[in-house]
Amino acid sequence: MKAVCWHGANDVRVETVPDPKIINPRDAIVKITSTAICGSDLHIYGGYIPTVQSGDIIGHEFMGEVVDVGNAVSNLKIGDRVVVPSMIGCGNCHYCQRDMWSLCDNSNQNGWMEEKLFGSITSAIYGYSHTFGGYAGGQAEYVRVPFADVGVVKVPKDIPDEKLLFISDAIPTGYMGAELCDIKPGDTVAVWGCGAVGQFAMISAYMMGAEKVIGIDRFPERLEMAKNFAKAEIINYEEVDAGEALKEMTGGRGPDACIDAVGLEAHGVGFEDFYDQTKQKLRLETDRPHVLRQMMLACRKGGTLSIMGVYGGFVDKIPFGAAFNKGLTFRMGQMHGQKYMHKLLELVLDGKLDPSVVVSHQLPLEQAPHGYHIFQQKEDNCIKVVLKP
Amino acid sequence: MASSSGNELSKGQGAEAGETERWASLVGGGAMVLMGLSQRSLRGVLMALAGGGLVYQGVTKQSTIQQAQEAIGINKSIKVEKTVTINKPADELYRFWHDFENLPRFMKHLKSVTVQNDKRSHWIANAPLDSSVEWDADILEDRENEFISWASVEGADVENSGFIRFKKAPGDRGTEVKVVLEYSPPGGALAAAFAKLFGEEPEQQIGDDLRRFKMLMEAGEIATTEGQPKGG
């Protein structure tokens, strides 16, 4: 089959590799019909995620058709159309049973690496380094889905992929970002990053009762989408000081909750940006925490920070005194896909949410290297790339 | 050798029965064994426990234990302990582990274990260069749903011993499973082969074994990526 394989920073290639097979009884093999490039794939593409090995198949947002099932999978049959969440959960451990799927104890066979780095083991993620399990990803013609009996949602056949695909990752990530804000009617929620996850976080915040939602970005096309699709007020942080603007827009208080939909490759302005870019290049810090810093300073006293953008390791110069003295609440984590996907599917089927709006590019799988390039460089007004195997 | 010191320990049983009971109650889930481990040989303590009365002497005066240590060359031993919480009741875990023939399913260095009777089993472990090491082991102590300890008998390629303890976890989280293993390789070429068997991080190997045990018990299968496709 054809698959997108990583070979080093900014080097992905479409190669011919063996087809995946059933390895464990709870596996299924899914023929991919659509797979997206996620913003966090850019962290891998850029070489910021350690323990990705040359030749690894990447991609964690995908859907398709079941073509084979292991003998312990009784609730799926060949021909079923499914969306697969990006986090792999076993469904049986303490965490999965409490709907904290991204904290699964059993899916990550390389847990010892995480135990050293994080102190505990978290769930595996498709195509997201060997620290996160080393599973082959979904930017391919076929993928092996472990724990398929609990790890997929069946979807109807008469709806286009583009309306369903993002139930895999971008929508539940945005939705969970809003849920963690514990939004009360009348709240103002600020969202850093107006990519796909940011868009779904803004829409979800309104659904949960926010009165005002503010989107922060630097690309006009993404800000435009925030305004038109998510009905948010917008701030271009390259044109105005985001902190000052947020104060002005919230009567001097600051937003009640702040959502980070950017993560470790955040861009800043001026000296701060130079400082973090340099430290990261020298490997003195792993992640660039501009968004975290801005949120800690901008958030109102007693407010909540909801962190959905991915962080991998260590960050520097965090204004912890601000967070402490303002009594902020921090909530964060990889999203618990299996917890949300059934509910999100209903929203799409009921016509309350049309996620296909965020797709700016649709390319054949063979053009994945081009897709990665334009998404990373934000060329050609690129917001979200869907690959078609 | 070590087993003879075990026999000596056993002889003390009658004389110190009262003390045995006192210690047995203190031991609970094997706490005293752990205490003994901090400085002494696991095997010695396990032997003492199984033997009975001289546990007290072993802990306070160390004499018997020192004998055991000398006999099995304790200074070269590998001793690891690891605990994991498994979301299953203790009786289920105990039953699975008690059938030692199940162990090679999740302990990578084991090729096979054959149970011969209530007490004795035959173990074969993989060693480098397609060789293997073998030994017979006896169950020393067995408390249903709580605790199993075992040790190799005389003539083992690799002297070893271990115990597993099952303890109900607080708050409906299943069972806390603690495993302690000790291996005392003989000198010479076999010692070097044995060191390779466990690599540089025996703690990690045992940790991985326990995680695979947990996966098998909770999820019914062991997560793996062996045999999946990859680009070149």
Side-chain angles (χ1 to χ4, degrees):
Chain A
M1 66 165 182
K2 294 256 186 304
V4 179
C5 302
W6 184 89
H7 283 281
N10 304 319
D11 179 9
V12 297
R13 303 171 202 167
V14 178
E15 297 181 308
T16 302
V17 303
D19 288 352
K21 322 180 284 283
I22 300 284
I23 298 175
N24 269 338
R26 294 174 66 187
D27 289 353
I29 304 297
V30 171
K31 181 182 195 301
I32 307 287
T33 53
S34 291
T35 173
I37 304 177
C38 175
S40 53
D41 284 332
L42 292 182
H43 306 331
I44 291 196
Y45 182 62
Y48 295 112
I49 304 288
T51 75
V52 186
Q53 294 171 6
S54 187
D56 282 352
I57 301 169
I58 54 179
H60 56 263
E61 191 166 33
F62 54 90
M63 63 178 293
E65 188 186 307
V66 174
V67 293
D68 199 3
V69 291
N71 56 28
V73 181
S74 56
N75 56 343
L76 289 177
K77 59 181 190 308
I78 291 166
D80 282 344
R81 190 183 189 212
V82 294
V83 177
V84 184
S86 49
M87 304 289 147
I88 305 172
C90 75
N92 303 101
C93 70
H94 177 84
Y95 295 96
C96 286
Q97 291 197 336
R98 283 153 188 81
D99 256 347
M100 295 181 276
W101 295 78
S102 72
L103 306 181
C104 175
D105 275 340
N106 292 324
S107 58
N108 188 345
Q109 52 145 4
N110 294 330
W112 62 272
M113 288 191 218
E114 277 199 329
E115 208 156 49
K116 288 200 164 95
L117 191 62
F118 303 149
S120 298
I121 300 163
T122 69
S123 80
I125 307 173
Y126 293 98
Y128 213 80
S129 84
H130 290 260
T131 307
F132 288 99
Y135 288 91
Q139 287 168 10
E141 288 181 288
Y142 296 91
V143 69
R144 167 184 166 233
V145 175
F147 307 116
D149 54 330
V150 294
V152 305
V153 59
K154 277 194 255 189
V155 296
K157 300 208 170 177
D158 54 350
I159 300 175
D161 279 9
E162 287 62 45
K163 286 183 192 278
L164 299 169
L165 172 61
F166 305 120
I167 292 172
S168 164
D169 189 84
I171 311 179
T173 306
Y175 188 88
M176 177 166 153
E179 189 181 78
L180 294 183
C181 293
D182 197 14
I183 294 166
K184 313 258 187 316
D187 275 0
T188 297
V189 178
V191 179
W192 271 255
C194 297
V197 169
Q199 302 291 338
F200 295 127
M202 291 186 268
I203 286 171
S204 303
Y206 276 128
M207 286 195 297
M208 292 172 198
E211 189 169 304
K212 184 176 354 194
V213 174
I214 303 167
I216 303 157
D217 207 299
R218 63 181 170 139
F219 295 106
E221 63 275 12
R222 295 181 8 147
L223 289 166
E224 202 61 28
M225 185 178 280
K227 200 158 70 180
N228 297 329
F229 171 60
K231 311 292 176 207
E233 297 181 23
I234 54 171
I235 295 173
N236 185 331
Y237 69 85
E238 283 187 335
E239 289 172 1
V240 296
D241 181 306
E244 288 299 318
L246 281 168
K247 279 275 161 67
E248 282 309 305
M249 294 160 85
T250 56
R253 300 183 306 274
D256 298 289
C258 300
I259 299 175
D260 175 355
V262 179
L264 68 85
E265 282 177 83
H267 293 267
V269 286
F271 176 74
E272 190 193 321
D273 190 37
F274 175 75
Y275 173 86
D276 282 303
Q277 296 267 8
T278 306
K279 282 211 91 162
Q280 197 183 38
K281 285 205 173 76
L282 294 173
R283 297 283 184 258
L284 293 171
E285 68 177 346
T286 55
D287 306 7
R288 304 200 302 258
H290 298 296
V291 169
L292 289 181
R293 290 193 196 110
Q294 285 171 19
M295 294 202 311
M296 289 160 96
L297 295 175
C299 193
R300 77 152 163 84
K301 291 178 285 184
T304 300
L305 305 192
S306 164
I307 303 160
M308 300 310 295
V310 169
Y311 291 87
F314 301 91
V315 290
D316 199 1
K317 298 282 184 289
I318 289 293
F320 209 75
F324 174 80
N325 287 292
K326 289 166 76 176
L328 300 181
T329 298
F330 281 51
R331 301 185 74 187
M332 63 192 86
Q334 300 276 10
M335 63 90 189
H336 306 305
Q338 293 85 335
K339 174 182 179 183
Y340 300 108
M341 57 191 183
H342 293 95
K343 183 191 182 118
L344 295 172
L345 174 62
E346 268 173 47
L347 285 175
V348 173
L349 296 181
D350 291 349
K352 291 179 180 148
L353 181 62
D354 181 4
S356 61
V357 177
V358 301
V359 179
S360 61
H361 291 73
Q362 222 180 76
L363 302 170
L365 188 74
E366 284 77 7
Q367 288 183 31
H370 174 66
Y372 269 92
H373 176 78
I374 60 170
F375 188 31
Q376 183 192 50
Q377 299 300 321
K378 305 293 182 285
E379 285 174 8
D380 196 20
N381 293 338
C382 182
I383 291 177
K384 187 82 177 173
V385 180
V386 173
L387 301 171
K388 293 283 188 180
Chain B
M1 285 288 290
S3 57
S4 65
S5 51
N7 291 337
E8 281 164 30
L9 292 175
S10 305
K11 288 174 196 159
Q13 193 163 11
E16 300 278 358
E19 288 298 316
T20 308
E21 280 167 22
R22 192 168 79 81
W23 277 108
S25 64
L26 282 174
V27 167
M32 201 208 59
V33 179
L34 291 180
M35 200 171 89
L37 268 180
S38 57
Q39 292 157 5
R40 301 169 200 103
S41 138
L42 168 64
R43 182 195 173 85
V45 176
L46 290 175
M47 284 293 192
L49 261 181
L54 289 185
V55 167
Y56 184 72
Q57 183 201 339
V59 170
T60 53
K61 298 177 188 164
Q62 296 191 26
S63 61
T64 321
I65 304 300
Q66 274 173 355
Q67 280 175 19
Q69 283 179 353
E70 283 160 18
I72 61 176
I74 193 66
N75 294 331
K76 291 192 288 272
S77 71
I78 293 170
K79 183 163 60 191
V80 287
E81 54 180 283
K82 208 83 187 173
T83 306
V84 67
T85 301
I86 302 183
N87 194 19
K88 286 281 173 183
D91 57 336
E92 205 174 308
L93 304 175
Y94 168 88
R95 272 200 306 277
F96 189 86
W97 191 286
H98 197 278
D99 182 357
F100 290 148
E101 297 193 356
N102 282 324
L103 302 188
R105 290 172 67 182
F106 57 88
M107 299 187 101
K108 271 201 170 160
H109 68 288
L110 289 179
K111 194 177 280 176
S112 72
V113 181
T114 314
V115 173
Q116 291 168 342
N117 57 43
D118 291 0
K119 282 245 174 260
R120 183 152 298 187
S121 47
H122 184 70
W123 301 53
I124 304 177
N126 298 307
L129 303 171
D130 287 332
S131 59
S132 57
V133 289
E134 303 190 20
W135 64 87
D136 280 337
D138 278 349
I139 290 179
L140 300 178
E141 194 182 358
D142 185 0
R143 293 202 302 277
E144 198 177 358
N145 304 336
E146 280 179 30
F147 184 87
I148 312 166
S149 62
W150 62 92
S152 58
V153 301
E154 193 175 350
D157 284 344
V158 177
E159 296 282 349
N160 70 89
S161 53
F163 75 81
I164 181 164
R165 183 195 65 188
F166 307 92
K167 190 175 143 196
K168 190 181 181 328
D172 193 26
R173 283 162 191 272
T175 306
E176 291 170 9
V177 178
K178 181 177 191 72
V179 171
V180 178
L181 296 174
E182 186 175 55
Y183 291 84
S184 304
L190 195 53
F194 183 78
K196 280 187 194 153
L197 191 66
F198 276 95
E200 288 173 5
E201 302 233 27
E203 288 269 356
Q204 185 197 311
Q205 287 227 20
I206 301 302
D208 286 350
D209 284 346
L210 263 189
R211 266 201 292 281
R212 282 190 287 267
F213 176 50
K214 177 182 162 77
M215 287 171 181
L216 198 55
M217 293 291 91
E218 291 184 353
E221 62 185 40
I222 295 170
T224 182
T225 54
E226 267 176 51
Q228 74 178 12
K230 189 177 188 336

